[in-house]
Amino acid sequence: MADEDNKGQKIDITLGEDVADGVYANLAIITHSHSEFIVDFVALMPGVTKGKVKSRVILTPQHAKRLLLALDENIKRYESMHGQIQDYDDPRALPLNLGRTKGDA
């Protein structure tokens, strides 16, 4: 799927050295407006209340939905090979809104 679009045409994607190492993030903050979704990937250290946005990705609503479906498909593949991913016992332990309101992008 990553190398073909809807018409079956091949696309060429390169991965530059500056991006290939990736960035570590253990929190994603998602906000949206009527025309875009903004995903901020944050590195938040345990016991520290201040994090740093390491990367921001801005998507159209259509691409956000495609990302959701692709993540769902890949999580199912992962779990079929490695077993179910265990979530936190108490999801309230995670700061989910961090002072932001829904849709403030």
Side-chain angles (χ1 to χ4, degrees):
M1 184 171 146
D3 64 347
E4 294 185 18
D5 66 11
N6 294 346
K7 298 175 184 135
Q9 297 174 339
K10 298 279 184 178
I11 57 174
D12 184 21
I13 299 173
T14 59
L15 179 62
E17 287 183 35
D18 57 332
V19 177
D21 287 337
V23 295
Y24 177 77
N26 55 3
L27 178 67
I29 301 170
I30 303 170
T31 55
H32 61 85
S33 69
H34 72 281
S35 61
E36 59 195 16
F37 279 74
I38 300 169
V39 185
D40 287 332
F41 293 95
V42 179
L44 186 63
M45 301 307 293
V48 178
T49 59
K50 185 170 183 154
K52 182 176 182 182
V53 174
K54 303 300 276 183
S55 183
R56 172 174 276 187
V57 177
I58 302 170
L59 304 160
T60 65
Q62 294 82 6
H63 285 111
K65 191 162 190 177
R66 286 182 184 178
L67 176 61
L68 172 69
L69 296 172
L71 279 171
D72 182 59
E73 179 182 328
N74 279 273
I75 288 171
K76 287 176 182 172
R77 286 184 198 166
Y78 177 93
E79 289 182 332
S80 73
M81 293 173 60
H82 304 286
Q84 185 175 3
I85 299 169
Q86 298 300 313
D87 200 357
Y88 294 99
D89 292 334
D90 184 2
R92 294 172 295 168
L94 297 175
L96 297 179
N97 67 2
L98 298 174
R100 289 188 169 187
T101 60
K102 292 188 280 186
D104 64 350

